[in-house]
Structures are given as structure tokens and as C-alpha cells.
Amino acid sequence: MSLLPILRFPDPRLKKKAAPVRSIDESIIRLARDMAETMYEAPGIGLAATQVDVHQRVIVIDVSETRDQPLSLVNPEIVDSQGQQVCEEGCLSVPGIYDKVARAENVVVRYLDLEGEEKTIEADGLLAVCLQHEIEHLDGKIFVEHLSQLKQMRIKAKLAKQAKITA
Ligand code: NI
């Protein structure tokens, strides 16, 4: 297993739309494992392949308090959503920035697990938020794009400053 470098907003590669996975082979299984390790190390509760510059539809999530229930979802698709909730979100690609985003309260997501089995997950609360956030990454969208243009400009300026300090 290995840790993968995480792209940072506003890296243009975060805007790429990921392609569906055609077959779940060794490389996809290794990718999901490395992504989970990277997510735990960060630490974060979700990571999309887009964020590690792999443009295939794979996400990993763990919202458990014990950090031992990783979910790997291949080709995840929201097939139903209901209600609305507003939750403060952050993102490993936008370090140190948190803001409120309105999303569906409940979602039903269809996906393939790493054995290639078709599964359906019904989620609410934090897991529903996380699923929507990560699936959006696969479509090249980041949570800050839900915020005003002014806020996005401020975030870009703040991250540019951080990058200068750490460079
Ligand atoms: Ni994110």
C-alpha cells in the first residue's frame, strides 16, 4: 500500500470528469486500498479518485467513529434523493476551509463493490452528505463551487498563500 498525493484546489485536474470503471481488476483494487490508506492518513472521511489524479469512478468513504468501516464504491450513482440538509463541509483538496452546503437529506446510491457485486446503499445524515460530495468530485466539481464567487476568490487567495509558505 502507498500514500497518494492529493491534488489541491484550484488544480485544473480536479475539474476532469472521471470515466466509468470497465472492469474491476488488480489495479482498481490497489487504487481503492491506496485511497483508503491516504484518506485515513490525511485524515478524512472520504476521498474520490479524481483527488489523487486518477480519473476513474472510484470513491472511498468511512464515516464511522472507529475508523474501521471503509466503503469502496465503484461507478457510484445517485438513483434517488429526497429532502434537504445543510451541513458544514470540508475537503482534503481544500485544506483548512469549511463552509455550509445544502444537499439532499436522503440518497439512494447504486454502485459496484470491489468484488464486482451490484449494491445499493440508502443513506442519510453525514453519510448522505459524504456520498454526494465524493460523487461530485468524479464529475469534476468541488464543494466550494456551491459558495459565492466572492467566497471562492477568498479561498483561492488563502490557499495560494498557504502554498507559498509550505513551498
Ligand atoms: Ni472533497
Side-chain angles (χ1 to χ4, degrees):
M1 295 212 279
S2 52
L3 294 176
L4 306 167
I6 299 174
L7 299 178
R8 290 196 171 189
F9 177 77
D11 192 306
R13 290 171 290 182
L14 288 167
K15 286 191 163 292
K16 284 193 193 174
K17 191 174 161 73
V21 171
R22 285 169 185 272
S23 79
I24 299 173
D25 55 14
E26 267 308 306
S27 71
I28 294 295
I29 291 165
R30 195 179 321 123
L31 170 67
R33 285 195 190 134
D34 289 346
M35 283 171 58
E37 195 189 3
T38 303
M39 170 184 74
Y40 287 126
E41 170 72 20
I45 59 170
L47 189 67
T50 306
Q51 292 176 273
V52 294
D53 201 22
V54 175
H55 302 282
Q56 301 213 60
R57 301 187 81 84
V58 178
I59 63 176
V60 296
I61 287 179
D62 189 345
V63 296
S64 72
E65 285 193 5
T66 44
R67 316 283 292 144
D68 58 358
Q69 289 166 55
L71 263 176
S72 299
L73 298 89
V74 176
N75 298 343
E77 198 184 334
I78 297 171
V79 293
D80 195 19
S81 62
Q82 281 181 354
Q84 202 196 57
Q85 61 177 325
V86 177
C87 193
E88 190 161 82
E89 295 186 25
C91 179
L92 294 176
S93 293
V94 197
I97 306 291
Y98 301 89
D99 214 323
K100 288 182 181 135
V101 176
R103 297 196 187 268
E105 167 78 55
N106 302 286
V107 290
V108 179
V109 173
R110 195 157 56 204
Y111 67 99
L112 298 174
D113 69 12
L114 292 178
E115 276 86 52
E117 292 277 326
E118 193 173 301
K119 296 263 173 88
T120 301
I121 186 169
E122 287 185 43
D124 59 10
L126 182 60
L127 181 56
V129 169
C130 198
L131 284 163
Q132 292 171 84
H133 177 122
E134 301 310 333
I135 291 170
E136 237 179 38
H137 272 303
L138 301 179
D139 291 320
K141 192 170 175 183
I142 304 190
F143 87 100
V144 297
E145 290 173 58
H146 290 273
L147 308 175
S148 68
Q149 286 297 327
L150 181 62
K151 275 191 178 172
Q152 289 186 49
M153 276 170 52
R154 285 191 185 139
I155 290 166
K156 278 180 196 168
K158 196 171 167 187
L159 291 182
K161 215 187 225 174
Q162 277 177 13
K164 233 181 234 169
I165 292 164
T166 50

Coordinates of all heavy atoms in Angstrom, one line a residue, residues 78-142:
I78 N -26.2 8.2 -7.9 CA -27.3 8.6 -7.1 C -28.6 8.3 -7.9 O -28.8 8.8 -8.9 CB -27.3 10.0 -6.7 CG1 -26.1 10.3 -5.8 CG2 -28.6 10.4 -5.9 CD1 -25.8 11.8 -5.5
V79 N -29.4 7.3 -7.4 CA -30.6 6.9 -8.1 C -31.9 7.5 -7.5 O -32.9 7.5 -8.2 CB -30.7 5.4 -8.3 CG1 -29.6 4.8 -9.2 CG2 -30.7 4.7 -6.9
D80 N -31.8 8.0 -6.3 CA -32.9 8.7 -5.7 C -32.4 9.7 -4.6 O -31.4 9.4 -4.0 CB -33.9 7.7 -5.1 CG -35.2 8.3 -4.8 OD1 -35.5 9.4 -5.4 OD2 -36.0 7.8 -4.0
S81 N -33.0 10.8 -4.5 CA -32.7 11.7 -3.4 C -33.9 12.5 -3.0 O -34.8 12.7 -3.7 CB -31.6 12.7 -3.9 OG -32.0 13.5 -4.9
Q82 N -33.9 12.8 -1.7 CA -35.1 13.4 -1.1 C -34.7 14.4 0.0 O -33.7 14.2 0.7 CB -36.0 12.4 -0.4 CG -36.9 11.7 -1.5 CD -37.8 10.7 -0.9 OE1 -37.8 10.4 0.3 NE2 -38.7 10.2 -1.7
G83 N -35.5 15.4 0.2 CA -35.3 16.4 1.3 C -34.1 17.3 1.2 O -33.5 17.3 0.1
Q84 N -33.8 18.0 2.2 CA -32.7 18.9 2.2 C -32.0 19.0 3.6 O -32.7 19.0 4.6 CB -33.1 20.3 1.7 CG -31.9 21.1 1.1 CD -32.2 22.6 1.0 OE1 -32.6 23.2 2.0 NE2 -32.1 23.1 -0.2
Q85 N -30.7 19.1 3.6 CA -30.0 19.4 4.8 C -28.8 20.3 4.5 O -28.3 20.3 3.4 CB -29.5 18.1 5.5 CG -28.5 17.3 4.6 CD -28.0 16.0 5.3 OE1 -27.8 16.0 6.5 NE2 -27.7 15.0 4.5
V86 N -28.5 21.1 5.5 CA -27.3 22.0 5.4 C -26.3 21.5 6.4 O -26.6 21.4 7.5 CB -27.7 23.4 5.6 CG1 -26.5 24.4 5.5 CG2 -28.8 23.9 4.6
C87 N -25.1 21.3 5.8 CA -24.0 20.7 6.7 C -22.7 21.5 6.4 O -22.5 21.9 5.3 CB -23.9 19.2 6.3 SG -22.9 18.2 7.4
E88 N -21.9 21.6 7.4 CA -20.6 22.3 7.2 C -19.7 21.2 6.6 O -19.5 20.1 7.2 CB -20.0 22.8 8.5 CG -18.8 23.7 8.2 CD -18.5 24.6 9.4 OE1 -17.9 24.1 10.3 OE2 -18.9 25.8 9.3
E89 N -19.1 21.5 5.5 CA -18.2 20.6 4.8 C -16.8 21.1 4.7 O -16.5 22.3 4.7 CB -18.7 20.3 3.3 CG -20.1 19.7 3.3 CD -20.6 19.3 1.9 OE1 -19.7 19.1 1.0 OE2 -21.8 19.2 1.8
G90 N -15.9 20.1 4.5 CA -14.5 20.4 4.3 C -14.1 19.5 3.2 O -14.9 18.6 2.8
C91 N -12.8 19.6 2.7 CA -12.4 18.7 1.6 C -10.9 18.6 1.7 O -10.2 19.6 1.9 CB -12.8 19.3 0.3 SG -12.3 18.3 -1.1
L92 N -10.3 17.4 1.5 CA -8.9 17.2 1.6 C -8.2 18.0 0.5 O -7.0 18.3 0.6 CB -8.5 15.7 1.5 CG -9.0 14.9 2.7 CD1 -8.7 13.4 2.5 CD2 -8.4 15.4 4.0
S93 N -8.9 18.4 -0.6 CA -8.3 19.2 -1.6 C -8.4 20.7 -1.4 O -7.9 21.5 -2.2 CB -9.0 18.8 -3.0 OG -8.7 17.5 -3.4
V94 N -9.1 21.0 -0.3 CA -9.3 22.4 0.1 C -8.9 22.6 1.5 O -9.8 22.9 2.4 CB -10.7 22.9 -0.3 CG1 -10.7 24.5 -0.3 CG2 -11.2 22.3 -1.6
P95 N -7.7 22.3 1.9 CA -7.3 22.2 3.3 C -7.6 23.5 4.1 O -7.4 24.6 3.7 CB -5.8 21.9 3.3 CG -5.3 22.2 2.0 CD -6.5 22.1 1.1
G96 N -8.2 23.2 5.3 CA -8.4 24.3 6.3 C -9.7 25.2 6.0 O -10.0 26.1 6.7
I97 N -10.4 24.8 4.9 CA -11.6 25.6 4.6 C -12.9 24.8 4.9 O -13.0 23.6 4.5 CB -11.6 25.9 3.1 CG1 -10.3 26.6 2.7 CG2 -12.9 26.8 2.7 CD1 -10.1 28.0 3.2
Y98 N -13.8 25.4 5.6 CA -15.1 24.7 5.9 C -16.2 25.7 5.7 O -16.1 26.9 6.0 CB -15.1 24.3 7.4 CG -13.9 23.3 7.7 CD1 -12.7 23.8 8.1 CD2 -14.1 22.0 7.6 CE1 -11.6 23.0 8.4 CE2 -13.0 21.1 7.8 CZ -11.8 21.6 8.2 OH -10.8 20.7 8.4
D99 N -17.3 25.2 5.1 CA -18.4 26.1 4.9 C -19.7 25.2 4.7 O -19.6 24.0 4.4 CB -18.2 27.0 3.7 CG -18.9 28.4 3.9 OD1 -20.0 28.4 4.5 OD2 -18.3 29.4 3.5
K100 N -20.8 25.9 4.8 CA -22.1 25.2 4.8 C -22.6 25.0 3.3 O -22.5 26.0 2.5 CB -23.1 26.0 5.5 CG -22.9 26.0 7.0 CD -24.0 26.7 7.8 CE -23.8 26.7 9.2 NZ -23.9 28.0 9.9
V101 N -23.0 23.8 3.1 CA -23.5 23.5 1.7 C -24.9 22.8 1.9 O -25.0 21.9 2.8 CB -22.6 22.5 1.0 CG1 -23.1 22.1 -0.4 CG2 -21.2 23.2 0.8
A102 N -25.9 23.1 1.1 CA -27.2 22.5 1.1 C -27.1 21.3 0.2 O -26.7 21.4 -1.0 CB -28.3 23.5 0.7
R103 N -27.6 20.1 0.7 CA -27.6 18.9 -0.1 C -28.9 18.1 0.2 O -29.6 18.5 1.2 CB -26.4 18.0 0.2 CG -25.1 18.7 -0.2 CD -24.0 17.6 -0.3 NE -22.7 18.2 -0.5 CZ -22.1 18.4 -1.6 NH1 -22.7 18.2 -2.8 NH2 -20.9 19.0 -1.7
A104 N -29.1 17.1 -0.5 CA -30.3 16.2 -0.2 C -30.1 15.6 1.2 O -28.9 15.3 1.6 CB -30.4 15.1 -1.3
E105 N -31.2 15.3 1.9 CA -31.2 14.7 3.2 C -30.9 13.2 3.1 O -30.2 12.6 3.9 CB -32.5 15.0 3.9 CG -32.8 14.2 5.1 CD -32.0 14.7 6.3 OE1 -32.2 15.9 6.6 OE2 -31.3 13.9 7.0
N106 N -31.6 12.6 2.1 CA -31.5 11.1 1.9 C -31.1 10.9 0.5 O -31.6 11.5 -0.4 CB -32.9 10.5 2.1 CG -33.4 10.7 3.5 OD1 -33.0 10.2 4.5 ND2 -34.4 11.6 3.6
V107 N -30.2 9.9 0.3 CA -29.9 9.5 -1.0 C -29.9 7.9 -1.1 O -29.6 7.2 -0.1 CB -28.5 10.0 -1.5 CG1 -28.6 11.5 -1.8 CG2 -27.4 9.6 -0.6
V108 N -30.2 7.5 -2.3 CA -30.0 6.0 -2.6 C -28.9 6.0 -3.7 O -29.0 6.7 -4.7 CB -31.3 5.4 -3.1 CG1 -31.1 3.9 -3.4 CG2 -32.4 5.6 -2.1
V109 N -27.9 5.2 -3.4 CA -26.7 5.2 -4.3 C -26.5 3.7 -4.8 O -26.5 2.8 -3.9 CB -25.4 5.7 -3.6 CG1 -24.2 5.5 -4.5 CG2 -25.6 7.2 -3.3
R110 N -26.4 3.5 -6.1 CA -26.2 2.2 -6.6 C -24.7 2.2 -7.0 O -24.2 3.2 -7.6 CB -27.1 2.0 -7.8 CG -27.1 0.5 -8.3 CD -28.4 0.3 -9.1 NE -28.5 1.2 -10.2 CZ -29.6 1.5 -10.8 NH1 -30.8 1.0 -10.4 NH2 -29.6 2.3 -11.8
Y111 N -24.0 1.1 -6.8 CA -22.6 1.0 -7.1 C -22.1 -0.4 -7.2 O -22.9 -1.4 -6.9 CB -21.8 1.7 -6.0 CG -21.8 1.0 -4.6 CD1 -20.8 0.2 -4.2 CD2 -22.9 1.2 -3.7 CE1 -20.8 -0.4 -2.9 CE2 -22.9 0.6 -2.5 CZ -21.9 -0.2 -2.1 OH -22.0 -0.9 -0.9
L112 N -20.9 -0.6 -7.6 CA -20.3 -2.0 -7.6 C -19.3 -2.0 -6.4 O -18.6 -1.0 -6.2 CB -19.6 -2.2 -8.9 CG -20.4 -2.2 -10.1 CD1 -19.5 -2.4 -11.4 CD2 -21.4 -3.4 -10.1
D113 N -19.3 -3.1 -5.7 CA -18.2 -3.3 -4.7 C -17.0 -3.8 -5.3 O -16.9 -4.1 -6.6 CB -18.7 -4.1 -3.5 CG -18.9 -5.6 -3.8 OD1 -18.5 -6.0 -4.9 OD2 -19.5 -6.3 -3.0
L114 N -15.9 -4.1 -4.6 CA -14.6 -4.5 -5.2 C -14.7 -5.9 -5.7 O -13.8 -6.3 -6.4 CB -13.5 -4.3 -4.2 CG -13.2 -2.8 -3.9 CD1 -12.0 -2.7 -2.9 CD2 -12.8 -2.0 -5.1
E115 N -15.7 -6.6 -5.4 CA -15.9 -8.0 -6.0 C -16.8 -7.9 -7.2 O -17.0 -8.9 -7.9 CB -16.6 -8.9 -5.0 CG -15.7 -9.6 -4.0 CD -15.5 -8.7 -2.8 OE1 -16.5 -8.2 -2.2 OE2 -14.3 -8.4 -2.4
G116 N -17.2 -6.7 -7.6 CA -18.0 -6.5 -8.8 C -19.5 -6.8 -8.6 O -20.2 -6.8 -9.5
E117 N -19.9 -6.9 -7.3 CA -21.3 -7.1 -7.0 C -22.0 -5.8 -7.0 O -21.5 -4.8 -6.5 CB -21.4 -7.7 -5.5 CG -20.9 -9.0 -5.3 CD -21.9 -10.1 -5.7 OE1 -23.1 -9.9 -5.5 OE2 -21.5 -11.2 -6.2
E118 N -23.2 -5.8 -7.6 CA -24.0 -4.6 -7.6 C -24.7 -4.4 -6.3 O -25.3 -5.4 -5.8 CB -25.1 -4.6 -8.8 CG -25.7 -3.2 -9.0 CD -26.6 -3.2 -10.2 OE1 -26.1 -3.4 -11.3 OE2 -27.8 -2.8 -10.0
K119 N -24.5 -3.2 -5.7 CA -25.0 -3.0 -4.4 C -25.8 -1.7 -4.4 O -25.6 -0.8 -5.2 CB -23.9 -2.8 -3.4 CG -23.0 -4.1 -3.2 CD -23.5 -4.8 -1.9 CE -22.8 -6.1 -1.7 NZ -21.6 -6.1 -1.0
T120 N -26.7 -1.5 -3.4 CA -27.4 -0.3 -3.2 C -27.3 0.1 -1.7 O -27.4 -0.7 -0.9 CB -28.9 -0.5 -3.5 OG1 -29.0 -1.0 -4.9 CG2 -29.7 0.8 -3.4
I121 N -27.0 1.4 -1.5 CA -26.9 1.9 -0.2 C -27.9 3.0 0.0 O -28.1 3.9 -0.9 CB -25.5 2.3 0.1 CG1 -25.3 2.7 1.6 CG2 -25.0 3.5 -0.7 CD1 -23.8 2.9 2.0
E122 N -28.7 3.0 1.1 CA -29.6 4.1 1.4 C -28.9 4.8 2.6 O -28.6 4.2 3.6 CB -30.9 3.5 1.9 CG -31.7 3.0 0.8 CD -33.1 2.6 1.3 OE1 -33.7 3.3 2.1 OE2 -33.6 1.5 0.9
A123 N -28.8 6.2 2.4 CA -28.1 6.9 3.4 C -28.8 8.2 3.8 O -29.5 8.8 3.0 CB -26.7 7.2 2.9
D124 N -28.6 8.6 5.1 CA -29.0 10.0 5.4 C -27.9 10.6 6.3 O -26.8 10.0 6.4 CB -30.3 9.9 6.2 CG -30.2 9.1 7.5 OD1 -29.1 8.7 7.9 OD2 -31.3 8.8 8.1
G125 N -28.1 11.8 6.8 CA -27.1 12.4 7.6 C -25.7 12.6 6.9 O -25.6 12.8 5.7
L126 N -24.7 12.4 7.8 CA -23.3 12.6 7.3 C -22.9 11.7 6.1 O -22.3 12.1 5.2 CB -22.4 12.4 8.5 CG -20.9 12.6 8.2 CD1 -20.6 14.1 7.7 CD2 -20.0 12.3 9.4
L127 N -23.4 10.4 6.2 CA -23.0 9.5 5.1 C -23.7 10.0 3.7 O -23.0 10.0 2.7 CB -23.5 8.1 5.4 CG -23.2 7.0 4.3 CD1 -21.7 7.0 4.0 CD2 -23.7 5.7 4.8
A128 N -24.9 10.5 3.8 CA -25.5 11.1 2.6 C -24.8 12.3 2.0 O -24.6 12.4 0.8 CB -27.0 11.5 2.9
V129 N -24.3 13.1 3.0 CA -23.5 14.3 2.5 C -22.2 13.9 1.9 O -21.8 14.3 0.8 CB -23.2 15.2 3.8 CG1 -22.2 16.3 3.4 CG2 -24.5 15.9 4.3
C130 N -21.6 12.9 2.5 CA -20.3 12.4 2.1 C -20.4 11.8 0.7 O -19.6 12.1 -0.2 CB -19.7 11.5 3.1 SG -18.0 11.2 2.9
L131 N -21.4 11.0 0.5 CA -21.6 10.3 -0.8 C -21.8 11.4 -1.9 O -21.2 11.3 -3.0 CB -22.9 9.4 -0.8 CG -22.6 8.1 0.0 CD1 -24.0 7.4 0.3 CD2 -21.8 7.1 -0.9
Q132 N -22.7 12.4 -1.6 CA -22.9 13.4 -2.6 C -21.6 14.2 -2.9 O -21.3 14.5 -4.1 CB -24.0 14.4 -2.1 CG -25.4 13.7 -2.1 CD -26.4 14.5 -1.4 OE1 -27.1 15.4 -2.0 NE2 -26.6 14.3 -0.1
H133 N -20.9 14.5 -1.9 CA -19.6 15.3 -2.0 C -18.6 14.5 -2.9 O -18.0 15.1 -3.8 CB -19.1 15.6 -0.6 CG -17.8 16.3 -0.6 ND1 -17.6 17.5 0.1 CD2 -16.5 15.9 -1.1 CE1 -16.3 17.8 0.0 NE2 -15.7 16.9 -0.7
E134 N -18.5 13.2 -2.6 CA -17.5 12.4 -3.3 C -17.9 12.2 -4.8 O -17.1 12.2 -5.7 CB -17.2 11.1 -2.6 CG -16.7 11.2 -1.2 CD -15.5 12.2 -1.0 OE1 -14.7 12.4 -1.9 OE2 -15.4 12.8 0.1
I135 N -19.2 11.9 -5.0 CA -19.7 11.6 -6.3 C -19.5 12.9 -7.2 O -19.1 12.8 -8.4 CB -21.1 11.1 -6.3 CG1 -21.1 9.7 -5.7 CG2 -21.7 11.0 -7.7 CD1 -22.5 9.1 -5.4
E136 N -19.7 14.0 -6.6 CA -19.5 15.3 -7.3 C -18.0 15.4 -7.8 O -17.8 16.0 -8.8 CB -19.8 16.4 -6.3 CG -20.9 17.4 -6.8 CD -21.2 18.5 -5.8 OE1 -20.3 19.0 -5.1 OE2 -22.3 18.8 -5.7
H137 N -17.1 15.0 -6.9 CA -15.7 15.1 -7.3 C -15.5 14.3 -8.7 O -14.7 14.7 -9.5 CB -14.8 14.4 -6.3 CG -14.3 15.3 -5.2 ND1 -13.6 16.4 -5.4 CD2 -14.4 15.2 -3.8 CE1 -13.3 17.0 -4.2 NE2 -13.8 16.3 -3.3
L138 N -16.2 13.2 -8.8 CA -16.0 12.4 -10.0 C -16.5 13.1 -11.2 O -16.1 12.8 -12.4 CB -16.7 11.0 -9.9 CG -16.2 10.1 -8.7 CD1 -17.1 8.8 -8.7 CD2 -14.7 9.8 -8.8
D139 N -17.4 14.1 -11.0 CA -17.9 14.9 -12.1 C -17.1 16.2 -12.2 O -17.6 17.1 -12.9 CB -19.4 15.1 -11.9 CG -20.2 13.9 -12.1 OD1 -19.8 13.1 -13.1 OD2 -21.1 13.6 -11.4
G140 N -16.0 16.3 -11.5 CA -15.2 17.5 -11.6 C -15.6 18.7 -10.9 O -15.2 19.8 -11.2
K141 N -16.5 18.4 -9.8 CA -17.0 19.6 -9.1 C -16.5 19.5 -7.6 O -16.5 18.4 -7.0 CB -18.5 19.6 -9.1 CG -19.1 20.9 -8.6 CD -20.6 21.0 -8.9 CE -21.2 22.2 -8.2 NZ -22.6 22.3 -8.4
I142 N -16.2 20.6 -7.0 CA -15.7 20.7 -5.7 C -16.7 21.5 -4.8 O -17.4 22.4 -5.3 CB -14.3 21.4 -5.6 CG1 -13.4 20.6 -6.5 CG2 -13.8 21.4 -4.2 CD1 -12.0 21.1 -6.4

